[in-house]
Amino acid sequence: MEPEADAVSSDASSTSSIQTLISFYSSYVRNRFASIIPATNSNWLHRLSNLYLPTARARSKRRGVALPLPLPSSSLESGTTIEGSRVFDVIEDILDHVLSDLHIIQKNLHFWQTRAEGSNASKIYFMVFERGPGAFIDGTVQFIREYAAEGTSARHFYHSASAYISERIMVLTSLRYSLASFLAQAYMEVENFGEELAKDPEKSMPVLLVTINGLFSNLEASIGHLLSANQRKDSSNDNNHLVPLLFEQLPEVNQEGSQWTDCEITDAINLVYQNLSKLDLHLSTIVEKHRKPKKVAQNWVQYTFGVVGLSVCSMWLINHSRLVGSPDIDNWIREAKDSTLGFWNDHVEQPLISIRDELFNTFRKRHKGVMELEEVQLTSSSLHRMLLAFSQQTKGQDIPENTSDQELLEIVMNRYEKELMHPITNLLNGELARALLIQVQKLKLDIETAMLELDQILKANEINFAVLAALPAFFISLLLLMVVRAWLKQDSRAEGRGRVARLQRRLLLVEVEKRIMQHQIYLDEGLEKDAQCMFGLLLYSLDCLYRAVERHARETGEWLCLRQDIIDLAKPALQTSYKLTITSRMERLYDCLLPSLTHK
């Protein structure tokens, strides 16, 4: 046994020696490499190491912070750069996480509050038909059992549905209260450190990290109190299986910023990201148990009927297809194709071709109509010569050739009236026959002139006839365009472009105004914690408003003024009366917040 023990001890000592040697040489190589890098780039290694941290920032998966940090305006005007400072990245990530979690909680809370406002029948319908097939089966079985046992299951079902919804509203409201208070505290601490952060971010970072560590402790106590309260209220609640939220705490270090090493600052930053990951995980677990049902679960009845209807239609199609030897579908496809081609040819292609031909050829070929202008001019010249010769013979004197046809025609008519006094005699020996022939020539000229004008009118309206033939296709195209336009503008989010999106932006502004007033009411009543929570909710509403109006305000050139107004509304020290003045101005002035009826 002794030789074996000596062998084991020798192996252990050799392993320890190897580990010591590796540690020595790794430290040596690291120190040599650090000595090569200039001192001005001392943060480069830490930034490189942050790329491989397990708590690396995943901004692409989150909403991204929108509301600017509460920094002094002088630092912004002087052009102080804050992009490369770690402290601003940490602060933005904290606000980003909290605002994203608040958004998820608020979305689910709004759903349950809407359900709570419904009637008892709507609550029962939701409990049975809008929570999925499993809930439908369980609810139906429970309803039948209680009805068979007591006969009063309807009233019990009302209370059960109300309790189910109220529990989720209570939990989500408490979570929102805790997160909003944490958001308000963090935002006000950043504002308190604003001057120091603008001057020297790295120097003020240790004190700010210690403050943030204390805020995490307060948040841990608040959420833990919520969890314990729910456990006491309902011992069968699923929250009993939740692991308590325990944040990592900073070690006992000197809070003087000058005595913090760069490694200690890096460790403190990593600790913050670990706490954010724990917060996200804990909140996601709670919210998952109290979230609204998914769209598939809410509409599973409609989807079921849709699947059944699709199955019936599929079977009907199979019975009329080639699979069972039926030519019905082929015949229907052929008829539909012929009808479509006929409609396209009669109401689209041919009218468009006619319009094209008329646009290029009608006005050039207008002189080649049924009645040509030269024929009318020839008839007019012949009539003028006949009138002139008749007038000269009747008057017995020369008449100028430039005499108008109207004057010559008066001479002919006067002679015609005299000849009619002895029609038979004058028809054989007089000028009555000649006067009649002149009137026939005049009637021919009038007919030819009318035909020429009618021909021009018909040629000019050939385009109108072609357009009239294309009207059915035009109206169908217009209808399709309206459907596509409505589909593109169906985005009801506040960031959209439609009428509903504009209404959502105005409702966001109303929500901001209400929370400003409620915050002041809590302050007047001495409810500091409630006022703090309401300020956090105000910051959340301002963040939503900031995101909703940014793109539209940039397009209209109003962004700089609107952005500054939103920043002013987020200032805790600004008087409530001035904030309400700002909201009133925003509602009346900015185009992206105007009602749709007044929008040009």
Side-chain angles (χ1 to χ4, degrees):
M1 296 296 293
E2 291 181 358
E4 293 179 0
D6 294 339
V8 171
S9 61
S10 62
D11 292 340
S13 61
S14 62
T15 303
S16 177
S17 301
I18 293 173
Q19 292 178 352
T20 304
L21 186 62
I22 293 174
S23 176
F24 171 77
Y25 276 107
S26 62
S27 301
Y28 175 76
V29 172
R30 184 172 63 252
N31 293 332
R32 292 292 297 171
F33 185 73
S35 63
I36 297 174
I37 303 299
T40 55
N41 297 329
S42 59
N43 291 331
W44 180 79
L45 289 175
H46 296 285
R47 294 179 183 176
L48 183 62
S49 63
N50 288 338
L51 295 176
Y52 302 96
L53 292 175
T55 58
R57 302 158 195 162
R59 286 190 175 185
S60 60
K61 297 181 180 180
R62 308 191 67 83
R63 300 174 72 220
V65 65
L67 191 64
L69 296 178
L71 297 176
S73 58
S74 58
S75 63
L76 299 177
E77 294 174 357
S78 61
T80 303
T81 59
I82 64 174
E83 297 294 335
S85 179
R86 290 178 295 175
V87 63
F88 293 108
D89 293 337
V90 173
I91 295 171
E92 288 181 353
D93 284 339
I94 291 174
L95 297 180
D96 177 25
H97 278 73
V98 177
L99 287 172
S100 299
D101 293 334
L102 266 178
H103 180 71
I104 296 173
I105 292 173
Q106 180 63 33
K107 184 168 61 175
N108 288 278
L109 180 60
H110 176 73
F111 174 83
W112 294 116
Q113 288 175 341
T114 304
R115 293 298 179 184
E117 294 175 356
S119 62
N120 291 331
S122 64
K123 294 177 183 178
I124 293 180
Y125 181 84
F126 166 76
M127 293 292 292
V128 176
F129 295 103
E130 295 186 358
R131 293 191 300 147
F136 170 74
I137 296 174
D138 296 339
T140 304
V141 172
Q142 181 183 0
F143 185 86
I144 294 174
R145 286 179 179 176
E146 294 182 357
Y147 185 80
E150 302 177 3
T152 59
S153 59
R155 180 176 300 177
H156 177 74
F157 225 67
Y158 294 153
H159 295 301
S160 177
S162 299
Y164 182 86
I165 297 174
S166 299
E167 177 195 353
R168 277 143 181 78
I169 293 176
M170 181 187 65
V171 173
L172 294 176
T173 302
S174 301
L175 286 178
R176 187 183 68 172
Y177 186 93
S178 300
L179 283 181
S181 300
F182 177 80
L183 176 63
Q185 292 171 3
Y187 193 86
M188 288 188 288
E189 289 295 339
V190 174
E191 187 185 39
N192 294 335
F193 284 91
E195 294 290 344
E196 299 177 6
L197 288 174
K199 293 179 182 178
D200 192 354
E202 297 297 329
K203 183 178 180 180
S204 58
M205 181 185 295
V207 181
L208 182 60
L209 290 176
V210 172
T211 305
I212 291 175
N213 181 70
L215 296 180
F216 274 113
S217 301
N218 297 336
L219 180 60
E220 175 187 322
S222 177
I223 296 179
H225 177 72
L226 163 66
L227 185 60
S228 61
N230 290 334
Q231 290 176 352
R232 290 193 303 269
K233 184 175 181 180
D234 188 1
S235 59
S236 63
N237 198 338
D238 292 336
N239 291 335
N240 293 324
H241 304 288
L242 289 177
V243 178
L245 178 62
L246 296 176
F247 289 125
E248 299 291 338
Q249 299 295 325
L250 287 176
E252 294 294 334
V253 295
N254 195 341
Q255 296 187 8
E256 293 294 332
S258 58
Q259 298 184 9
W260 278 50
T261 63
D262 197 56
C263 292
E264 291 174 341
I265 294 178
T266 302
D267 292 340
I269 292 176
N270 295 337
L271 202 65
V272 170
Y273 284 106
Q274 291 178 16
N275 290 338
L276 288 177
S277 299
K278 289 186 176 182
L279 176 63
D280 290 342
L281 179 61
H282 190 78
L283 290 179
S284 62
T285 305
I286 298 177
V287 173
E288 184 65 27
K289 297 178 182 300
H290 301 87
R291 62 170 297 167
K292 64 180 182 179
K294 296 181 179 179
K295 290 293 184 181
V296 177
Q298 295 182 40
N299 302 311
W300 73 273
V301 177
Q302 293 88 331
Y303 293 155
T304 302
F305 281 110
V307 171
V308 172
L310 184 61
S311 302
V312 173
C313 291
S314 300
M315 294 299 299
W316 183 81
L317 289 176
I318 291 174
N319 292 332
H320 291 81
S321 65
R322 294 179 181 179
L323 297 176
V324 294
S326 176
D328 292 343
I329 292 182
D330 296 336
N331 296 334
W332 296 335
I333 293 175
R334 190 181 305 107
E335 293 176 0
K337 180 180 177 181
D338 295 340
S339 300
T340 303
L341 291 177
F343 179 85
W344 174 265
N345 184 66
D346 296 339
H347 298 285
V348 179
E349 185 178 4
Q350 291 301 326
L352 291 179
I353 293 176
S354 300
I355 293 173
R356 183 199 62 186
D357 295 341
E358 289 300 322
L359 288 176
F360 289 99
N361 299 326
T362 297
F363 296 101
R364 291 182 303 184
K365 298 180 179 180
R366 184 164 295 178
H367 59 282
K368 297 181 180 181
V370 177
M371 181 57 60
E372 302 298 336
L373 181 61
E374 289 78 3
E375 297 180 4
V376 178
Q377 292 177 350
L378 181 62
T379 303
S380 177
S381 300
S382 176
L383 177 62
H384 182 75
R385 290 192 298 270
M386 294 172 64
L387 290 173
L388 184 62
F390 186 88
S391 299
Q392 288 178 353
Q393 183 178 357
T394 301
K395 293 289 187 179
Q397 61 182 5
D398 294 336
I399 299 177
E401 293 185 0
N402 57 356
T403 304
S404 64
D405 292 345
Q406 186 65 28
E407 295 177 355
L408 298 176
L409 191 58
E410 289 180 359
I411 298 174
V412 172
M413 294 307 296
N414 291 333
R415 181 66 179 181
Y416 177 72
E417 291 175 359
K418 292 180 180 180
E419 293 289 331
L420 283 177
M421 296 177 65
H422 304 283
I424 298 177
T425 303
N426 293 330
L427 183 62
L428 298 176
N429 299 323
E431 301 293 336
L432 183 60
R434 191 178 177 185
L436 289 173
L437 292 175
I438 290 175
Q439 292 188 49
V440 171
Q441 186 70 9
K442 178 65 172 60
L443 181 61
K444 177 186 176 184
L445 178 61
D446 293 339
I447 293 174
E448 289 180 353
T449 303
M451 291 180 65
L452 179 63
E453 293 178 355
L454 182 61
D455 184 65
Q456 292 177 350
I457 291 173
L458 292 176
K459 284 183 175 294
N461 284 275
E462 286 182 1
I463 297 178
N464 297 335
F465 297 146
V467 171
L468 185 62
L471 279 181
F474 172 76
F475 284 122
I476 293 177
S477 302
L478 182 62
L479 181 62
L480 293 176
L481 181 62
M482 293 174 63
V483 171
V484 173
R485 181 175 178 270
W487 180 76
L488 292 176
K489 288 193 172 185
Q490 68 179 356
D491 189 5
S492 60
R493 299 177 302 170
E495 295 86 351
R497 293 184 175 274
R499 182 180 61 86
V500 178
R502 183 178 290 271
L503 179 60
Q504 292 295 326
R505 292 194 292 271
R506 289 180 61 81
L507 290 178
L508 278 176
L509 185 59
V510 172
E511 187 178 77
V512 168
E513 187 173 357
K514 290 172 61 177
R515 286 176 173 171
I516 290 173
M517 297 175 63
Q518 191 64 39
H519 175 256
Q520 184 61 41
I521 292 174
Y522 285 148
L523 289 178
D524 295 339
E525 295 178 353
L527 303 174
E528 295 294 336
K529 293 185 178 180
D530 292 339
Q532 198 173 64
C533 170
M534 190 54 59
F535 183 71
L537 294 178
L538 172 62
L539 293 177
Y540 167 73
S541 299
L542 289 174
D543 180 77
C544 295
L545 182 63
Y546 191 100
R547 299 172 188 276
V549 301
E550 181 176 4
R551 184 183 65 179
H552 305 282
R554 288 185 185 276
E555 293 176 355
T556 57
E558 304 169 335
W559 176 236
L560 293 179
C561 296
L562 182 54
R563 180 178 183 272
Q564 187 58 46
D565 284 342
I566 296 177
I567 293 174
D568 290 340
L569 291 176
K571 294 179 179 179
L574 198 63
Q575 295 182 358
T576 303
S577 59
Y578 185 66
K579 289 184 179 181
L580 294 177
T581 303
I582 293 177
T583 56
S584 178
R585 182 176 68 243
M586 291 170 63
E587 184 179 5
R588 291 183 287 103
L589 179 62
Y590 297 112
D591 180 78
C592 58
L593 296 173
L594 291 176
S596 57
L597 294 178
T598 60
H599 178 64
K600 296 182 180 180

